[in-house]
Amino acid sequence: MTTRPVPALPDGVTVAELERLCVAFAAEAGRFIRDERPPRMGVSATKSSETDVVTVMDRRSEELLHALIQQARPDDGILGEEGADVAGTSGLTWVVDPIDGTVNYLYEVPAYAVSVAVVVGDPHAQGGWSPVAGAVADPSLRVVHHAGRGTGAWTSPEDPSDDRSPVRLSVSAEERLGRTLLATGFGYAAHVRARQAQVMLRVLPLVRDIRRIGSAALDLVRVAEGSVDAYAESGLNAWDLAAGWLIVEEAGGVVVGEDRDSAPGKILTVAAGHALVEQVRTLFVSGDDTAEDTAQEDSDEE
């Protein structure tokens, strides 16, 4: 488990309570996007108007999250992917991604998520914030992955009445780069993809294999549960990684940016166990400026 200390919280607020709320809110939004998904949405449906149905569901999910947060924690701030930010006075900010993996959601690929986290500091500033509680709901599997600073990382049933016990998460113990199953992602812009392809030419021969899942939040969860050994990607925003970052650390892993002392973010995010993280980070920064260029673009997971 991480040894990072719990940041100071407002009087009367506990990590356990924030984690409980993250789980409840992520689960409710996850059920919403799964159960209320328009029938026969399809790719062609996005061509019918300027506001396509995926965007509608994104916004409706974020509206739901805003309502839940403001009812429970009216003094907290909110930062979300759809841009309806709320300024708070408590020193806590909720960072939400209403649908992470929207392309998967559009195509009905069962790898999309809702990410909800509570952070201290300014989530608009690179390196200026830290998550204290977070949850990633996986509606397709009907589970929620969650963590609080100092409470460990867990996977729990989406339905609180489900009698299955939570499962504690732990990162892979893999130490050798050549045996590493590496998750990654790619940007939308053609020139960014071309440069990322060049990085893959260098990386692929040095690892066991590559996985491109299509959701940054779920990629981070998979590192935490050990179903992939490591993850690296450029172009992530706070809402893509806030909950997953904490879940990885509470599962015993490390999450860094473009150098070993920097926070994860747009330039680069690398997550792995202690033995692998520096090896993987080096792969993505050695002899190439792709990370810097890709940081100017939004990732596919947004």
Side-chain angles (χ1 to χ4, degrees):
M1 184 183 296
T2 178
T3 58
R4 189 191 298 266
V6 178
L9 297 176
D11 290 344
V13 178
T14 66
V15 168
E17 176 62 10
L18 294 175
E19 182 179 357
R20 184 190 69 78
L21 290 173
C22 286
V23 171
F25 298 163
E28 185 162 344
R31 284 190 293 269
F32 169 75
I33 64 172
R34 180 190 65 226
D35 298 342
E36 299 299 321
R37 185 183 188 277
R40 300 180 301 279
M41 189 166 77
V43 180
S44 62
T46 66
K47 307 300 182 183
S48 61
S49 68
E50 292 182 2
T51 305
D52 65 57
V53 288
V54 176
T55 300
V56 168
M57 291 301 288
D58 246 326
R59 289 178 178 167
R60 289 182 65 192
S61 178
E62 187 160 294
E63 288 168 0
L64 171 61
L65 289 168
H66 275 233
L68 293 169
I69 293 165
Q70 290 180 309
Q71 181 178 13
R73 301 280 312 166
D75 296 328
D76 296 351
I78 305 175
L79 172 66
E81 181 186 11
E82 295 304 314
D85 297 350
V86 174
T89 58
S90 68
L92 299 177
T93 302
W94 293 75
V95 179
V96 301
D97 194 339
I99 304 178
D100 186 68
T102 52
V103 174
N104 288 342
Y105 184 70
L106 174 63
Y107 280 83
E108 298 188 78
V109 175
Y112 55 88
V114 176
S115 178
V116 178
V118 184
V119 311
V120 295
D122 181 4
H124 296 90
Q126 171 68 28
W129 58 279
S130 177
V132 294
V136 175
D138 186 335
S140 300
L141 295 182
R142 298 176 185 263
V143 297
V144 182
H145 315 280
H146 55 97
R149 183 67 68 193
T151 70
W154 305 84
T155 295
S156 299
E158 174 191 276
D159 185 348
S161 66
D162 192 312
D163 60 4
R164 290 176 296 168
S165 298
V167 176
R168 190 157 194 168
L169 305 183
S170 181
V171 299
S172 163
E174 183 56 64
E175 299 179 350
R176 291 176 54 184
L177 190 62
R179 296 193 306 212
T180 294
L181 183 61
L182 175 69
T184 192
F186 306 111
Y188 277 125
H191 74 281
V192 171
R193 286 175 177 254
R195 297 181 70 84
Q196 289 172 326
Q198 292 300 312
V199 175
M200 288 300 104
L201 287 175
R202 183 177 70 248
V203 171
L204 191 54
L206 301 177
V207 298
R208 169 168 279 166
D209 208 348
I210 297 288
R211 292 292 179 270
R212 194 272 194 267
I213 295 164
S215 163
L218 291 180
D219 280 327
L220 288 163
V221 164
R222 286 181 169 90
V223 173
E225 70 185 12
S227 59
V228 300
D229 300 306
Y231 164 66
E233 184 171 355
S234 300
L236 300 189
N237 291 296
W239 50 79
D240 297 308
L241 64 91
W245 173 7
L246 180 61
I247 292 169
V248 170
E249 289 192 334
E250 288 296 317
V254 183
V255 185
V256 299
E258 67 274 19
D259 61 61
R260 68 183 70 190
D261 297 318
S262 65
K266 270 195 171 291
I267 293 178
L268 186 63
T269 297
V270 179
H274 287 264
L276 276 181
V277 67
E278 183 61 16
Q279 297 179 67
V280 174
R281 186 198 66 80
T282 301
L283 279 183
F284 280 79
V285 299
S286 295
D288 195 281
D289 59 355
T290 302
E292 292 281 358
D293 286 352
T294 306
Q296 305 305 314
E297 301 291 336
D298 291 336
S299 72
D300 268 355
E301 286 68 45
E302 296 174 1

